[in-house]
Amino acid sequence: MVLLVDAINALREFLDTGGQVLLVIGLVTFLMWLLILERFMFVFGKFRTYRKDLLNSWSSREERNSWNAEQIRQAMISRAGIQLNSNLPYINVMVALCPLLGLLGTVTGMIEVFNVMAITGSGSARSMAAGVSKATIPTMAGMVGALSGVFASTFLQRKAKREVELLEDKLLLDH
Amino acid sequence: MAATLALSSSAFAAEQAMDLDTLLKQLEQGQSAQNAQNAQREAQFKAQQSEQVRMLRELTSNRDGELNRSERLETQFEENEIKLGNLSDTLSKRMGSLKELFGVLQQVAGDSSNKFRTSVVSAEIPNRSAFMDDMAKRMGSSTKLASIEDIEKVWVELQREMTEQGKVSRYTSDVIVAGGTKTQKEVLRVGAFNLIADGKYLSYNPETNTLSELTRQPTARFTQSAAELQSTQSGIVDFALDPTGGSILGLLVQAPNTKEQVEQGGAVGYVILGVGLLALLIALERFISLMIMGAKINRQLKDSVAREDNPLGRVMKVKEQYPDVAYDTLELKLSEAILREMPKITRNLTLIKIISVVAPLLGLLGTVTGMINTFQAITLFGTGDPKLMAGGISTALVTTVLGLVVAIPTVFLYTLLNTRSRNLLLILQEQSAGIIAERSEKGA
């Protein structure tokens, strides 16, 4: 319990020194990882049974040679592609948004620094420290958030592309 | 004198004389009268000579007497000087360590007078610094000694300040509220740190000894704790206090709020906000129409009869319109129908994309113009005043913030809408033929 309170206090202090933007960055990163997790679970869990069903229904078809069969095959692959690619654009946009949000935090922090300068009329490093920490911490957090998502999103994209190609190879037309 | 008068009277007579003889006569008479007068004068001077000598002697003796006296007084002055020196030596010897004490007393009185003047405790207990000022002045003059009562009073005042610093006390006082009117309120003083009333932080003005509500209060988290403290009567309550005794809260009043900061952005800032609003409206319209379209397409997927009210239905109708054409022609007709539907689905999406790119660029534009203004100010007024420069720079940065604030949600909205519309297009492009094929197989 004490540990939890300590952790909450430390987090709150971190958020206070980083400002409001840090909260948004944290939220975006959290959402991004939630989506990434959901994707992983889909690719390695639900999609396998889906693919098996798909292959079964294709192989149980009587004829795989007509125009109809070709169109149905295309539709099947397309449906699988839609399922594999859903949420990926959101993960990508969040990866792109993290550094932007970090930049936003940097600029608001700089504004604070210059406001302090405008009010006190001095370049006292101590009075500017709060603004400087608000400028640098979100940048760092944004970078960390983006970098943590980049690898996962690249992996998921390649995986989706490869799975679609595999399906195309396996759903063969008879000639 | 009489002779002069005679002369003038004879001169007067001469004016009346009309011939030379009478004139000559008159002249002779005048000369004789003058001779007589001179003789008389000489006699008079001789008679007075002895008198003059006597006066001279008198004055000389007078002067000698005064010289003697001055000599006497000078020696006396020297003697007094030595005596005075001896006496002050004795005084400082006898005061000894006490002298140091009075010095300390003066310093303490001066320091605490300043402290009392600015302390928020003075809002409740006024007029404490007057005695301390008087005390410091008396100790500084070193002609008067401090009495035991005075010293004890300094002690009591210091002790009182210390005791009050550790207290949370309630009292009623006049408070100047935001409108400028004075009202009686229950004021809560937390040590020597903060004054609150009605859950709002007050500022204390030592010059006029008045309390006023801060025009800008800190964030809700802190004012809430203040209200909580005021409403409870006992126990322990969380409270956010200003350890500087009000100077941090004072700075808060000067810091610009969100609205003022947005106004700092100037014309470019408003352009960015306008563009952002436009993007938001377009996105809202697109979102709603794509939602409706998606729902209709989903219903069409489950329904075997092609409807006219959705793109998929219209594409599927193509098959019914051309029941007997070859597959190649049918595919051409289908892609033609899909091309007709495409603009309806992807309408205005490019505009949102453009806005999401343009907004940060506009922000950059504002930054650069702001910097130009700053440098113009530097050219005019020099770099001496950091306030002047800092104002311009924060204005320049505000537009960057506005650009990002517009761009971030716009990018997100674009992705959202783009994904939706692309999914709809995929259904049309890759599946419409498949759906038609499945239905024709089932029907067959």
Side-chain angles (χ1 to χ4, degrees):
Chain A
M1 192 63 200
V2 177
L3 272 177
L4 188 71
V5 170
D6 275 356
I8 287 172
N9 275 343
L11 193 70
R12 191 178 229 188
E13 205 170 295
F14 183 67
L15 286 178
D16 275 350
T17 47
Q20 298 283 315
V21 182
L22 202 57
L23 202 70
V24 182
I25 293 176
L27 205 74
V28 167
T29 315
F30 177 73
L31 262 177
M32 183 176 81
W33 273 102
L34 219 62
L35 287 178
I36 288 173
L37 221 65
E38 186 270 335
R39 279 292 86 195
F40 269 105
M41 274 159 71
F42 174 78
V43 169
F44 291 108
K46 211 174 150 194
F47 181 69
R48 298 200 162 168
T49 49
Y50 178 79
R51 189 177 53 187
K52 207 177 284 171
D53 290 349
L54 211 64
L55 291 175
N56 282 340
S57 72
W58 181 249
S59 56
S60 62
R61 252 182 92 83
E62 290 123 32
E63 59 89 25
R64 296 186 280 271
N65 203 9
S66 62
W67 181 87
N68 280 353
E70 162 74 24
Q71 296 311 319
I72 287 166
R73 173 180 171 269
Q74 279 297 332
M76 276 175 166
I77 293 167
S78 160
R79 266 173 225 155
I82 288 179
Q83 290 221 17
L84 276 169
N85 279 305
S86 74
N87 283 346
L88 278 185
Y90 298 118
I91 294 170
N92 276 336
V93 81
M94 276 168 186
V95 166
L97 282 186
C98 273
L100 272 184
L101 281 167
L103 183 59
L104 182 67
T106 306
V107 183
T108 50
M110 290 313 285
I111 286 178
E112 192 163 310
V113 169
F114 284 114
N115 274 341
V116 167
M117 263 173 81
I119 289 168
T120 61
S122 73
S124 151
R126 198 180 298 168
S127 57
M128 294 193 300
V132 171
S133 73
K134 271 189 193 168
T136 48
I137 290 179
T139 316
M140 182 202 72
M143 286 296 155
V144 169
L147 281 176
S148 72
V150 157
F151 298 108
S153 87
T154 318
F155 173 80
L156 286 171
Q157 257 171 331
R158 278 180 50 205
K159 180 86 180 163
K161 208 173 156 194
R162 210 167 50 230
E163 288 291 338
V164 170
E165 279 168 7
L166 274 174
L167 270 182
E168 272 175 7
D169 287 349
K170 284 190 179 163
L171 301 184
L172 286 174
L173 290 168
D174 292 339
H175 288 293
Chain B
M1 190 62 78
T4 336
L5 270 175
L7 189 70
S8 65
S9 65
S10 63
F12 183 65
E15 277 179 36
Q16 291 171 336
M18 294 310 285
D19 54 61
L20 289 167
D21 285 337
T22 42
L23 180 66
L24 187 66
K25 220 178 207 171
Q26 275 175 358
L27 272 175
E28 277 171 354
Q29 275 172 1
Q31 202 164 19
S32 67
Q34 207 156 3
N35 283 343
Q37 202 183 352
N38 282 346
Q40 196 193 334
R41 244 185 231 163
E42 237 167 80
Q44 205 182 336
F45 279 143
K46 273 175 187 164
Q48 282 180 349
Q49 197 182 11
S50 63
E51 176 80 3
Q52 296 284 358
V53 171
R54 196 185 54 77
M55 272 170 74
L56 179 67
R57 212 173 282 150
E58 212 174 88
L59 285 172
T60 317
S61 73
N62 235 3
R63 186 200 64 191
D64 290 347
E66 289 298 322
L67 273 177
N68 277 339
R69 191 163 152 253
S70 115
E71 218 163 281
R72 212 173 53 241
L73 286 174
E74 215 161 279
T75 38
Q76 203 191 342
F77 176 75
E78 273 163 21
E79 275 167 20
N80 282 347
E81 193 96 304
I82 294 164
K83 233 187 259 175
L84 194 66
N86 288 341
L87 280 175
S88 58
D89 274 359
T90 339
L91 178 69
S92 63
K93 248 180 236 164
R94 288 195 185 156
M95 275 173 78
S97 55
L98 277 182
K99 203 173 185 184
E100 223 163 275
L101 170 78
F102 291 147
V104 169
L105 208 57
Q106 183 198 353
Q107 202 188 338
V108 167
D111 284 358
S112 42
S113 160
N114 278 334
K115 216 177 282 171
F116 288 178
R117 198 171 291 129
T118 51
S119 165
V120 294
V121 179
S122 295
E124 190 180 353
I125 313 158
N127 302 328
R128 293 179 305 162
S129 58
F131 165 73
M132 286 294 183
D133 275 341
D134 182 45
M135 186 77 192
K137 210 179 278 172
R138 263 191 294 159
M139 292 294 95
S141 67
S142 83
T143 51
K144 283 180 189 160
L145 300 184
S147 65
I148 299 282
E149 286 83 39
D150 284 343
I151 297 173
E152 275 180 348
K153 198 166 179 202
V154 172
W155 173 29
V156 167
E157 289 292 349
L158 284 176
Q159 184 69 43
R160 176 153 65 173
E161 173 78 8
M162 223 184 287
T163 319
E164 290 298 331
Q165 277 186 9
K167 267 191 200 162
V168 175
S169 79
R170 280 165 204 275
Y171 67 101
T172 332
S173 169
D174 279 340
V175 174
I176 302 171
V177 291
T181 50
K182 259 188 191 180
T183 43
Q184 283 261 327
K185 274 188 181 176
E186 191 202 40
V187 177
L188 197 66
R189 179 176 58 75
V190 184
F193 303 109
N194 282 116
L195 291 161
I196 51 172
D198 289 349
K200 282 182 177 165
Y201 285 84
L202 305 180
S203 72
Y204 171 60
N205 187 349
E207 267 95 55
T208 52
N209 196 32
T210 47
L211 296 174
S212 48
E213 263 178 18
L214 279 173
T215 45
R216 240 171 240 167
Q217 295 287 329
T219 49
R221 189 146 69 90
F222 302 125
T223 47
Q224 208 177 335
S225 74
E228 220 170 279
L229 179 66
Q230 195 152 30
S231 60
T232 47
Q233 299 293 330
S234 61
I236 297 169
V237 183
D238 279 341
F239 178 66
L241 53 78
D242 180 3
T244 56
S247 25
I248 288 177
L249 283 172
L251 284 180
L252 190 77
V253 177
Q254 287 177 307
N257 62 13
T258 317
K259 187 167 163 272
E260 282 166 359
Q261 278 190 334
V262 169
E263 277 165 8
Q264 276 184 350
V268 181
Y270 287 121
V271 169
I272 294 170
L273 285 180
V275 166
L277 191 71
L278 184 72
L280 204 69
L281 287 176
I282 293 172
L284 194 73
E285 184 271 328
R286 283 283 76 202
F287 187 76
I288 292 171
S289 52
L290 281 179
M291 279 264 282
I292 294 170
M293 207 181 274
K296 278 179 182 166
I297 287 177
N298 273 336
R299 203 173 52 198
Q300 180 65 67
L301 282 172
K302 289 169 196 145
D303 197 355
S304 55
V305 184
R307 294 162 190 260
E308 266 292 338
D309 64 349
N310 67 82
L312 185 62
R314 282 194 287 271
V315 172
M316 280 161 73
K317 270 253 166 82
V318 173
K319 164 87 171 155
E320 291 167 21
Q321 280 165 3
Y322 306 96
D324 301 322
V325 290
Y327 290 135
D328 301 359
T329 326
L330 182 62
E331 265 191 72
L332 274 177
K333 293 282 175 199
L334 278 177
S335 52
E336 203 176 282
I338 291 163
L339 269 179
R340 266 204 303 276
E341 299 297 334
M342 200 132 83
K344 284 177 204 154
I345 294 170
T346 57
R347 187 162 52 97
N348 283 342
L349 282 182
T350 340
L351 198 59
I352 297 174
K353 177 82 179 163
I354 288 170
I355 286 172
S356 77
V357 174
V358 158
L361 284 180
L362 276 172
L364 184 61
L365 176 72
T367 305
V368 177
T369 53
M371 291 308 281
I372 288 172
N373 286 340
T374 307
F375 283 117
Q376 269 172 356
I378 290 173
T379 328
L380 285 176
F381 307 110
T383 54
D385 190 1
K387 287 188 184 191
L388 206 71
M389 283 159 58
I393 292 169
S394 75
T395 306
L397 290 177
V398 163
T399 52
T400 312
V401 171
L402 288 176
L404 286 172
V405 161
V406 167
I408 290 169
T410 315
V411 167
F412 192 78
L413 283 173
Y414 171 72
T415 318
L416 190 85
L417 296 170
N418 196 34
T419 316
R420 271 174 185 275
S421 68
R422 217 184 47 192
N423 280 348
L424 293 185
L425 274 179
L426 273 178
I427 291 174
L428 287 192
Q429 281 174 341
E430 297 177 4
Q431 294 183 28
S432 56
I435 291 163
I436 292 167
E438 275 168 12
R439 291 213 175 129
S440 70
E441 274 191 354
K442 261 180 212 161

